[in-house]
Amino acid sequence: MSSFAICHAAIFTVDPDNRVIADGALVVEDGVIRQVGEFREVTIPEGVEVIDAGGHALLPGLIDCHSHSSLMRGVTENMPLMEWLPWYQLEHRAMTEEYAYHSARLCYLEALQSGITCVMDMFRYMDRCADAAADLGLRVQLAPYVADRPGKDFFSTRDENRQLIRSHHESQNGRIRVWMGLEHLFYCTEDAYRDAARLSREYGVGIHTHCSEQKEEEQAVTAEFGRRSLAMLDHYGILGERTLLAHCVWLNDEEIARVADTGTSIAHCPVSNAKLASGVARVPEMLAAGVTVGLGTDGPVCNNSLSLFEEMKFASLIQKATRLDATVLPAEQILRMATINGARALGLDREIGSLEVGKKADLLLLDLGGANMAPVSVNEQGGNLLWNLVFAAGPGNVSGVWVDGRQLLRRGEAVRVSQQAVIADAQRQGLALHEACRKLAHTRMSMV
């Protein structure tokens, strides 16, 4: 792990006081933040690398709280969720370890290029996803797609999830963590949920699953089980401080209160929810109730891009538009959702998510020299730069990314892998996977 100092950056600490330092310096030693403050007040240790970051903003690395790695980008389009799911299942029926590795490597590269330093990934063959994360140096939380109902044998098993915990949890110096992953109420038996809750306690790991994503889905769950989705998860003993629920678009007031009371967190995926016509989650009510809400991309299959900048902007704008209220979800609240709230949802807020002494150096450096960021004005409240970080910035502004104090992206280029090789490999593997899915679809149609 390297030691270095970043000087003359506009620093957005996202600490409890939302401290902004117009001309700041941050010192990293052995991968940990040791100093952060006004440049004139920080002591730069002798012999460390000094990075002049004038004309840049320094932020905590962004955190994607819910994603699905994939090579199937732009394939299942113009479909609502319940029509989309059968096509998405084809990918998993055709999935191999090699496809999974290249899916994860491509998506993790795009995440880094977008300023994301930590991804919650729910996918298949996640030992190979761990290999991909190790290649790039990314911090990942791995939640296998576990399903055990009849006809869902193409997803992961509980035994695979247990083995992944034993083999990979807290590997790569703690950058790789493993969760209990559960696909959905229609995919998993009661025993799977109760086993996940037991293993969560036994191994001290989190639980990640989907909940209440679409209105029609909620109606189907109620018809099948006699309870709404959240009530079923509560009945199975899933809710709690170690649990992260994706989507939660259709929660009512009582359910939001129950999520808050149990300390359960939510991964909000506004772009995916809009694209699949799932609806608009009641995020202001969730936050007002004290629920921890992070942001997620939901992966390239149902989003097309993996940009937390897009999620930040859209998360705010969709609430303003649907509520006819320009004041809802302001920039400072959205930035916290993409950083410290995401860290808290993943149980990592003591380690990452803000720029504070003692935390790991997961850093994002943004170049403010682009036309989309000018003019720049910074003060103790952030100035116009705070708003432009949320409503104007994009992956094209990402200059540097560090995880654990190791630089993974420099001047927009990956440091540890060849970007061209990753993309070329993904192109070949993606076309092969598309062909495998096409043949599988043809075979299944012939059998009908």
Side-chain angles (χ1 to χ4, degrees):
M1 296 181 184
S2 60
S3 298
F4 57 93
I6 298 176
C7 301
H8 300 300
I11 299 180
F12 289 75
T13 64
V14 200
D15 67 7
D17 297 321
N18 278 332
R19 186 166 56 129
V20 178
I21 308 167
D23 182 21
L26 180 140
V27 176
V28 173
E29 296 181 80
D30 296 326
V32 175
I33 299 171
R34 296 303 182 191
Q35 299 181 64
V36 58
E38 298 282 351
F39 172 72
R40 65 179 183 274
E41 298 175 355
V42 169
T43 302
I44 309 298
E46 290 186 12
V48 303
E49 177 188 9
V50 177
I51 300 169
D52 187 345
H56 291 72
L58 184 64
L59 321 171
L62 304 181
I63 297 173
D64 186 346
C65 283
H66 181 69
S67 187
H68 302 290
S69 287
S70 178
L71 292 171
M72 304 286 282
R73 191 193 310 262
V75 176
T76 53
E77 300 296 322
N78 289 336
M79 292 181 182
L81 177 66
M82 302 309 280
E83 292 179 20
W84 172 87
L85 281 171
W87 289 95
Y88 183 51
Q89 291 177 13
L90 282 176
E91 177 186 11
H92 289 280
R93 291 182 183 276
M95 186 58 54
T96 66
E97 290 190 27
E98 195 70 4
Y99 290 146
Y101 170 71
H102 289 285
S103 297
R105 204 163 63 137
L106 178 68
C107 289
Y108 297 166
L109 172 61
E110 184 180 353
L112 278 179
Q113 292 174 329
S114 303
I116 295 168
T117 54
C118 181
V119 174
M120 163 58 84
D121 195 7
M122 177 175 267
F123 200 46
R124 300 278 310 286
Y125 301 110
M126 302 212 80
D127 56 328
R128 299 296 280 136
C129 297
D131 292 341
D135 289 348
L136 282 93
L138 188 69
R139 190 181 303 281
V140 293
Q141 316 288 292
L142 304 178
Y145 255 135
V146 170
D148 66 340
R149 284 187 177 273
K152 306 301 181 185
D153 56 348
F154 52 91
F155 282 107
S156 298
T157 67
R158 284 181 274 167
D159 284 342
E160 289 172 353
N161 202 158
R162 277 192 291 267
Q163 181 54 40
L164 189 69
I165 293 172
R166 296 187 185 114
S167 62
H168 285 80
H169 184 55
E170 296 193 342
S171 62
Q172 292 292 312
N173 197 39
R175 288 188 296 275
I176 294 175
R177 310 272 176 99
V178 181
W179 290 48
M180 298 303 302
L182 297 155
E183 215 297 337
H184 189 271
L185 287 162
F186 283 124
Y187 292 65
C188 301
T189 63
E190 177 175 353
D191 191 45
Y193 283 101
R194 296 198 180 279
D195 196 30
R198 179 180 64 81
L199 291 172
S200 170
R201 294 189 295 270
E202 179 180 340
Y203 289 108
V205 300
I207 302 171
H208 189 39
T209 190
H210 300 91
C211 179
S212 194
E213 186 172 354
Q214 195 178 55
K215 186 176 183 179
E216 289 77 8
E217 166 211 340
E218 194 62 42
Q219 292 168 343
V221 166
T222 303
E224 175 74 15
F225 298 101
R227 289 185 174 98
R228 285 168 57 87
S229 297
L230 192 84
M232 283 305 303
L233 296 179
D234 202 1
H235 173 67
Y236 290 156
I238 288 297
L239 303 187
E241 293 181 356
R242 286 199 179 112
T243 296
L244 174 63
L245 303 178
H247 304 302
C248 294
V249 177
W250 291 92
L251 298 188
N252 59 35
D253 289 345
E254 292 76 16
E255 290 165 336
I256 291 174
R258 182 59 181 160
V259 170
D261 289 345
T262 57
T264 304
S265 299
I266 291 174
H268 175 45
C269 306
V271 173
S272 170
N273 293 157
K275 189 169 187 288
L276 295 177
S278 298
V280 182
R282 302 174 63 208
V283 174
E285 286 82 1
M286 294 173 184
L287 295 173
V291 177
T292 296
V293 183
L295 291 176
T297 62
D298 210 14
V301 177
C302 46
N303 184 321
N304 299 79
S305 72
L306 302 179
S307 171
L308 256 292
F309 293 104
E310 281 189 359
E311 301 297 335
M312 284 195 288
K313 181 173 184 175
F314 193 74
S316 178
L317 296 187
I318 194 68
Q319 299 291 340
K320 296 176 188 296
T322 55
R323 294 167 184 262
L324 304 181
D325 182 357
T327 68
V328 72
L329 291 190
E332 64 184 37
Q333 199 167 32
I334 290 290
L335 184 59
R336 294 187 74 84
M337 289 171 63
T339 53
I340 189 62
N341 280 16
R344 188 170 295 117
L346 299 179
L348 297 174
D349 52 304
R350 293 185 179 180
E351 302 177 44
I352 61 172
S354 60
L355 303 184
E356 299 180 77
V357 172
K359 287 197 171 184
K360 296 180 178 180
D362 286 15
L363 313 173
L364 166 58
L365 191 65
L366 288 177
D367 187 348
L368 306 180
N372 65 317
M373 299 301 290
V376 176
S377 172
V378 190
N379 57 32
E380 292 181 355
Q381 288 73 46
N384 77 331
L385 180 54
L386 169 63
W387 292 89
N388 289 340
L389 292 176
V390 172
F391 293 103
N397 300 108
V398 175
S399 176
V401 173
W402 291 259
V403 171
D404 263 355
R406 302 189 305 170
Q407 188 160 19
L408 307 183
L409 201 79
R410 182 183 294 117
R411 291 185 291 276
E413 290 288 323
V415 172
R416 296 171 58 87
V417 298
S418 164
Q419 294 184 176
Q420 293 75 19
V422 170
I423 295 167
D425 288 344
Q427 174 69 16
R428 288 191 296 271
Q429 295 287 334
L431 292 179
L433 176 58
H434 291 183
E435 179 62 16
C437 291
R438 188 191 66 78
K439 290 179 178 178
L440 186 59
H442 179 73
T443 300
R444 292 175 66 82
M445 289 296 294
S446 300
M447 295 173 61
V448 176

